[in-house]
PDB file of all heavy atoms in Angstrom:
ATOM      1  N   PRO A 139     -10.122  23.294 -50.414  1.00 86.00           N
ATOM      2  CA  PRO A 139     -11.582  23.342 -50.243  1.00 86.00           C
ATOM      3  C   PRO A 139     -11.999  23.912 -48.888  1.00 86.00           C
ATOM      4  O   PRO A 139     -13.190  24.048 -48.615  1.00 86.00           O
ATOM      5  CB  PRO A 139     -11.994  21.869 -50.377  1.00 86.00           C
ATOM      6  CG  PRO A 139     -10.792  21.079 -50.038  1.00 86.00           C
ATOM      7  CD  PRO A 139      -9.588  21.930 -50.340  1.00 86.00           C
ATOM      8  N   LYS A 140     -11.001  24.270 -48.040  1.00 87.00           N
ATOM      9  CA  LYS A 140     -11.271  24.863 -46.709  1.00 87.00           C
ATOM     10  C   LYS A 140     -12.298  24.034 -45.942  1.00 87.00           C
ATOM     11  O   LYS A 140     -13.279  24.551 -45.409  1.00 87.00           O
ATOM     12  CB  LYS A 140     -11.742  26.313 -46.855  1.00 87.00           C
ATOM     13  CG  LYS A 140     -10.805  27.151 -47.721  1.00 87.00           C
ATOM     14  CD  LYS A 140     -10.617  28.534 -47.180  1.00 87.00           C
ATOM     15  CE  LYS A 140      -9.455  29.263 -47.795  1.00 87.00           C
ATOM     16  NZ  LYS A 140      -9.200  29.055 -49.216  1.00 87.00           N
ATOM     17  N   ASP A 141     -12.050  22.743 -45.896  1.00 89.00           N
ATOM     18  CA  ASP A 141     -12.955  21.837 -45.197  1.00 89.00           C
ATOM     19  C   ASP A 141     -12.431  21.654 -43.771  1.00 89.00           C
ATOM     20  O   ASP A 141     -11.360  21.098 -43.562  1.00 89.00           O
ATOM     21  CB  ASP A 141     -12.957  20.496 -45.959  1.00 89.00           C
ATOM     22  CG  ASP A 141     -13.913  19.494 -45.357  1.00 89.00           C
ATOM     23  OD1 ASP A 141     -14.369  19.710 -44.213  1.00 89.00           O
ATOM     24  OD2 ASP A 141     -14.211  18.498 -46.040  1.00 89.00           O
ATOM     25  N   PRO A 142     -13.172  22.135 -42.759  1.00 90.00           N
ATOM     26  CA  PRO A 142     -12.671  22.039 -41.381  1.00 90.00           C
ATOM     27  C   PRO A 142     -12.533  20.584 -40.920  1.00 90.00           C
ATOM     28  O   PRO A 142     -11.795  20.296 -39.975  1.00 90.00           O
ATOM     29  CB  PRO A 142     -13.724  22.790 -40.564  1.00 90.00           C
ATOM     30  CG  PRO A 142     -14.932  22.861 -41.432  1.00 90.00           C
ATOM     31  CD  PRO A 142     -14.483  22.781 -42.846  1.00 90.00           C
ATOM     32  N   GLY A 143     -13.217  19.672 -41.580  1.00 91.00           N
ATOM     33  CA  GLY A 143     -13.154  18.271 -41.162  1.00 91.00           C
ATOM     34  C   GLY A 143     -12.085  17.471 -41.880  1.00 91.00           C
ATOM     35  O   GLY A 143     -12.106  16.242 -41.859  1.00 91.00           O
ATOM     36  N   GLU A 144     -11.139  18.193 -42.530  1.00 95.00           N
ATOM     37  CA  GLU A 144     -10.156  17.474 -43.341  1.00 95.00           C
ATOM     38  C   GLU A 144      -9.208  16.633 -42.491  1.00 95.00           C
ATOM     39  O   GLU A 144      -8.933  16.951 -41.334  1.00 95.00           O
ATOM     40  CB  GLU A 144      -9.364  18.458 -44.212  1.00 95.00           C
ATOM     41  CG  GLU A 144      -8.438  19.332 -43.391  1.00 95.00           C
ATOM     42  CD  GLU A 144      -7.593  20.279 -44.248  1.00 95.00           C
ATOM     43  OE1 GLU A 144      -7.990  20.567 -45.396  1.00 95.00           O
ATOM     44  OE2 GLU A 144      -6.539  20.717 -43.767  1.00 95.00           O
ATOM     45  N   LEU A 145      -8.715  15.564 -43.110  1.00 97.00           N
ATOM     46  CA  LEU A 145      -7.728  14.692 -42.458  1.00 97.00           C
ATOM     47  C   LEU A 145      -6.366  15.018 -43.063  1.00 97.00           C
ATOM     48  O   LEU A 145      -6.207  15.003 -44.286  1.00 97.00           O
ATOM     49  CB  LEU A 145      -8.076  13.228 -42.747  1.00 97.00           C
ATOM     50  CG  LEU A 145      -7.013  12.196 -42.356  1.00 97.00           C
ATOM     51  CD1 LEU A 145      -7.041  11.954 -40.852  1.00 97.00           C
ATOM     52  CD2 LEU A 145      -7.234  10.888 -43.097  1.00 97.00           C
ATOM     53  N   VAL A 146      -5.388  15.346 -42.193  1.00 97.00           N
ATOM     54  CA  VAL A 146      -4.057  15.694 -42.696  1.00 97.00           C
ATOM     55  C   VAL A 146      -3.187  14.438 -42.768  1.00 97.00           C
ATOM     56  O   VAL A 146      -3.138  13.650 -41.814  1.00 97.00           O
ATOM     57  CB  VAL A 146      -3.389  16.757 -41.799  1.00 97.00           C
ATOM     58  CG1 VAL A 146      -1.963  17.040 -42.269  1.00 97.00           C
ATOM     59  CG2 VAL A 146      -4.211  18.044 -41.809  1.00 97.00           C
ATOM     60  N   VAL A 147      -2.558  14.230 -43.914  1.00 98.00           N
ATOM     61  CA  VAL A 147      -1.625  13.115 -44.073  1.00 98.00           C
ATOM     62  C   VAL A 147      -0.323  13.688 -44.640  1.00 98.00           C
ATOM     63  O   VAL A 147      -0.344  14.426 -45.622  1.00 98.00           O
ATOM     64  CB  VAL A 147      -2.180  12.037 -45.031  1.00 98.00           C
ATOM     65  CG1 VAL A 147      -1.195  10.879 -45.151  1.00 98.00           C
ATOM     66  CG2 VAL A 147      -3.527  11.519 -44.561  1.00 98.00           C
TER      67      VAL A 147
END
Side-chain angles (χ1 to χ4, degrees):
K140 308 220 166 37
D141 183 345
E144 70 177 22
L145 169 78
V146 176
V147 181

